[in-house]
Amino acid sequence: MTTALPVAPQTDAAPSRLGRARLEKDELDMALEEAAGLQWLDALATPLWLLRPDGLTAWLNGAARALIGLERDAPAAAVRVSLSSRLPTPLEQAAAGRTVDARATIHAPLILPLEVDLRLVPAPGPSGLILAEAPADSGARQEMMRLNEQLIALSYAYPDIRFELLRDGTILDFAAASPGDLNVPAERFLAHRVQEVLPDPAAGMLATALGRLNEGQTVIGLDFSLPPPSGSAGGTKFFEARLVALPDSDRVMCSIRNVTERVEAESAARRAHHLLSDAIECITEGFVLYDAQDRLVLCNGRYRELFSANTDLITPGARFEEVLRGGVERGVYQVPDGDLDGWIERRLEQHRRAGAPMEVQLHDGRWIRIEEWRTHEGGTVGIRADITDLKTREAELSVTRDEAERANQRKSDYVHHLSHELRTPLNAVLGFAQIIHDEMMGPNNPRYREYAGQIAAAGVYMLDLINNLLDLARIEAGRMDLHEEACNLSLLVDLTFGMMQPRACEAAVALCMEIPNDLPSLHADASQIRQMLTNLIGNAIKFAPAKDGRVLVRGELTEEGGIALTVTDNGIGMRPEQIPVALDAFGQVHGRNQAAERGSGLGLPLTRALIALHGGSFHIDSRVGVGTTVRLTFPPCRVGGRMQRP
């Protein structure tokens, strides 16, 4: 019986073997002439070979050609017979005149090796040749041929390049749909060693692998690449090779697969992944992606930076809820006391629904805005933006808005007070003027003189009020000019006392001055200093006690070399929280029941603005029932009669 092995497809390597066989034609013809008496065996149905002692075929009949699928005109020398035994003992015995039955493997071009049972006898013709006979079994041969045809078809369809090798690398047969993939002409594959045919680095790697197989390994896989041939426009090719040592044989099966397309696709995918990763890493906000099972896929460095206290939990595969609860337990988030579970549940719900953006505050005070969206596959992509600056600006804008609202309210109050302060004396002016004009009390009534005085006083009051308003407006607009000169403070205080004395006498208030004779002169605007003194002394007189009122004006040098001018009274005083109100335009701390007269509320604000215009400072100290002290401090550069520029 004969046994069929996989048959190699026909390739362009066959002409090379046939060509080599034809080169030996002269030698074979001589042998066949000696065996001419055996030509009649060609018509027999039994497959017959005429073999040399080394296993090469000198002649074979038609049945043998049909058995192995060898073309009619193919030379017999292209067929080689090897025995299962690694030693040529059966051939030697047959050559010595014995009849030997042995298992043999037939090697021929264009087919895979075929195992058959042979009977070996000495050839009756040329000496030294051996006649090999295979038992006739047409059914088995037909089945073998059918299987060979199927295997040939499969070999053409199979993408791998397959070699049958001896353990030293000699190529017995090969099958390849595209033999040119290895950049080697197909005719070089047969009767050569694979490590001598393939270019480096493949040759060296296969030689090393064969050495390991000879040392006892049975299966070896390796990867290699081949550069394009010189002058070729193609690119580098990539291959996977697998070598398997056949048991109880000196052969090795080697398959080589061209995986260039796959490697290039994987390389393109890696480049795309790296490009995407670089793009995500460059995002200024934190980026995170969870899959459909809510497991972390990837995140960028900014995300890890925002949640640095939770970095060890932020690993691929970690579930969102585990990361969130771990962060809460570590105090990453500022969670309201007593609402831990509720806060976590709201955050999980927002994450599950990818709902409206959520703002959370971290333990270090930073504010994070969380936005999440669903992917087509059911995952979640999220952005974490640090909005601390926005929150700070929002708070600042809120404070500014509140201040603007208060300023607007002050403006309304300002207009209200101004209209009231102007309307009252103006009504008096109009009323008294109408009385005088109409001589309502008769002609030349002595009281008309008193009414004229009232008109004059009201006019002076309104003029002072308007002047103060204009001064404040000019100072705030930076348009107030200083007419500076050397000022004697003792003289200025004395002049102010003289102007204020009638009011002080009427209110039973004593005016006192403590200014050293050697106090240096002050380089300032004298009219503005008198205005400041008038405002402060007027306030002190207005809020003096009903009896034993006292106002003290003191001047002295400060430790820094400046001059401090203080006005102290023993009036009703103010609480600390009332002082800012008193310094506001038209601010009224005390009602009419606490003061003998009601002022405009512009004295203190204007005084503070004027001292600031001189580069000085304003300080007020007051206690209820004790009195008030206002301190005006002029800088050292204004001391000495001529201002010293810093």
Side-chain angles (χ1 to χ4, degrees):
M1 292 293 293
T2 60
T3 302
L5 291 180
V7 179
Q10 295 184 2
T11 68
D12 53 0
S16 178
R17 272 185 87 175
L18 294 176
R20 288 194 299 272
R22 289 191 177 97
L23 294 177
E24 302 172 358
K25 183 176 183 303
D26 294 340
E27 180 182 351
L28 293 176
D29 287 346
M30 292 176 60
L32 290 176
E33 288 176 1
E34 296 180 10
L38 301 177
Q39 294 300 320
W40 59 272
L41 297 176
D42 186 58
L44 295 179
T46 300
L48 297 174
W49 287 265
L50 195 60
L51 304 177
R52 294 179 180 181
D54 59 1
L56 289 178
T57 302
W59 173 88
L60 72 169
N61 67 356
R65 289 177 180 272
L67 176 64
I68 62 177
L70 186 66
E71 295 181 358
R72 188 70 184 176
D73 59 349
V79 180
R80 180 171 61 86
V81 177
S82 63
L83 302 180
S84 298
S85 172
R86 295 188 180 182
L87 298 176
T89 304
L91 289 174
E92 294 175 355
Q93 293 177 352
R98 298 180 57 184
T99 299
V100 181
D101 292 328
R103 187 73 169 174
T105 302
I106 309 299
H107 302 275
L110 310 180
I111 66 169
L112 289 179
L114 174 67
E115 291 189 1
V116 296
D117 292 323
L118 294 180
R119 173 164 292 177
L120 306 176
V121 298
S127 60
L129 296 182
I130 301 163
L131 182 66
E133 175 187 1
D137 189 344
S138 59
R141 288 199 303 272
Q142 291 176 1
E143 179 64 17
M144 178 272 297
M145 293 174 66
R146 185 183 67 81
L147 292 176
N148 277 348
E149 290 174 355
Q150 291 180 354
L151 290 173
I152 290 172
L154 288 174
S155 296
Y156 277 114
Y158 197 62
D160 289 0
I161 302 172
R162 291 176 293 119
F163 293 95
E164 179 188 2
L165 309 174
L166 292 178
R167 288 181 177 264
D168 64 355
T170 300
I171 302 174
L172 300 177
D173 284 293
F174 79 98
S178 301
D181 282 352
L182 293 172
N183 302 332
V184 177
E187 59 269 16
R188 292 194 58 198
F189 285 142
L190 290 177
H192 287 82
R193 295 200 305 169
V194 67
Q195 59 268 42
E196 297 170 350
V197 174
L198 294 183
D200 284 326
M205 297 175 70
L206 287 174
T208 302
L210 289 170
R212 291 164 58 189
L213 290 177
N214 290 326
E215 292 173 358
Q217 286 189 241
T218 57
V219 179
I220 295 176
L222 52 91
D223 301 325
F224 62 88
S225 61
L226 295 178
S230 178
S232 173
T236 300
K237 297 178 182 179
F238 300 89
F239 299 88
E240 288 179 350
R242 185 177 180 85
L243 291 87
V244 179
L246 299 180
D248 300 327
S249 174
D250 60 350
R251 291 176 297 140
V252 174
M253 299 304 296
C254 172
S255 64
I256 300 176
R257 174 169 294 184
N258 187 338
V259 293
T260 303
E261 291 186 2
R262 189 191 74 194
V263 171
E264 290 177 347
E266 291 174 350
S267 177
R270 284 194 298 271
R271 288 196 300 271
H273 175 76
H274 293 325
L275 181 63
L276 179 61
S277 297
D278 291 343
I280 291 174
E281 197 64 32
C282 292
I283 297 176
T284 56
E285 289 82 14
F287 177 90
V288 64
L289 175 64
Y290 286 89
D291 62 15
Q293 287 72 44
D294 218 14
R295 295 172 300 196
L296 180 66
V297 177
L298 62 89
C299 63
N300 64 357
R302 178 57 174 160
Y303 181 86
R304 296 179 182 277
E305 179 184 340
L306 290 174
F307 302 97
S308 56
N310 223 21
T311 303
D312 59 319
L313 299 179
I314 304 174
T315 56
R319 298 186 65 83
F320 173 79
E321 185 171 353
E322 296 173 355
V323 176
L324 176 66
R325 291 188 180 276
V328 172
E329 291 173 359
R330 297 181 181 186
V332 173
Y333 306 94
Q334 287 192 11
V335 181
D337 294 337
D339 190 31
L340 179 62
D341 294 335
W343 187 92
I344 292 177
E345 187 56 37
R346 288 193 298 274
R347 177 66 185 93
L348 290 174
E349 183 66 17
Q350 190 267 353
H351 176 75
R352 285 191 290 265
R353 295 179 178 271
M358 183 178 183
E359 296 178 356
V360 299
Q361 190 173 18
L362 304 184
H363 68 96
D364 56 4
R366 290 180 298 169
W367 281 91
I368 304 298
R369 180 182 176 87
I370 299 173
E371 295 184 81
E372 294 178 324
W373 301 270
R374 286 293 185 194
T375 66
H376 292 296
E377 296 181 350
T380 304
V381 60
I383 294 292
R384 308 292 190 266
D386 189 339
I387 59 171
T388 306
D389 292 342
L390 292 177
K391 281 288 188 178
T392 301
R393 286 195 291 271
E394 181 181 331
E396 292 173 351
L397 289 175
S398 178
V399 172
T400 303
R401 184 190 64 240
D402 293 342
E403 290 179 351
E405 291 176 352
R406 287 193 294 269
N408 188 56
Q409 184 62 40
R410 287 195 301 270
K411 178 181 177 182
S412 299
D413 295 341
Y414 185 90
V415 173
H416 172 74
H417 287 299
L418 178 61
S419 63
H420 177 77
E421 293 296 331
L422 290 174
R423 185 173 60 249
T424 300
L426 186 59
N427 286 336
V429 168
L430 293 175
F432 287 124
Q434 188 69 36
I435 291 173
I436 295 173
H437 179 269
D438 295 341
E439 294 183 342
M440 296 177 62
M441 296 182 179
N444 302 320
N445 191 305
R447 297 189 64 180
Y448 292 157
R449 183 182 295 276
E450 178 185 350
Y451 293 162
Q454 294 289 344
I455 291 173
V460 170
Y461 176 80
M462 288 190 292
L463 181 61
D464 289 342
L465 177 60
I466 293 172
N467 286 335
N468 288 340
L469 287 173
L470 292 175
D471 287 344
L472 275 176
R474 283 198 296 268
I475 292 173
E476 290 178 356
R479 297 178 180 175
M480 175 69 79
D481 295 327
L482 293 179
H483 302 285
E484 299 172 317
E485 58 181 314
C487 300
N488 187 318
L489 288 181
S490 297
L491 178 59
L492 292 178
V493 173
D494 190 57
L495 291 173
T496 305
F497 277 0
M499 184 181 66
M500 302 297 296
Q501 192 62 48
R503 291 179 58 187
C505 291
E506 184 180 353
V509 175
L511 301 179
C512 305
M513 175 176 61
E514 293 183 2
I515 296 180
N517 293 329
D518 59 350
L519 186 68
S521 60
L522 185 67
H523 191 77
D525 189 318
S527 63
Q528 291 185 9
I529 292 178
R530 286 194 62 186
Q531 187 174 3
M532 288 186 278
L533 288 171
T534 300
N535 292 338
L536 297 179
I537 295 173
N539 277 344
I541 293 173
K542 181 168 59 174
F543 295 108
K547 58 180 180 179
D548 299 329
R550 184 172 181 271
V551 177
L552 173 62
V553 179
R554 177 185 293 114
E556 58 185 349
L557 284 172
T558 64
E559 294 181 357
E560 294 79 13
I563 290 180
L565 190 61
T566 59
V567 179
T568 303
D569 65 65
N570 61 344
I572 57 179
M574 295 179 290
R575 296 190 301 273
E577 64 272 15
Q578 292 177 315
I579 293 177
V581 178
L583 292 175
D584 198 7
F586 292 105
Q588 298 291 336
V589 174
H590 305 295
R592 288 190 179 274
N593 59 338
Q594 292 179 283
E597 57 180 299
R598 180 178 178 85
S600 64
L602 295 176
L604 289 179
L606 181 58
T607 301
R608 183 171 63 171
L610 290 173
I611 188 63
L613 192 62
H614 283 77
S617 61
F618 177 96
H619 179 73
I620 185 169
D621 183 24
S622 184
R623 287 188 295 171
V624 176
V626 176
T628 301
T629 297
V630 178
R631 181 182 178 93
L632 306 177
T633 304
F634 294 88
C637 61
R638 290 190 173 275
V639 177
R642 186 174 183 82
M643 184 174 179
Q644 304 297 318
R645 300 296 178 184

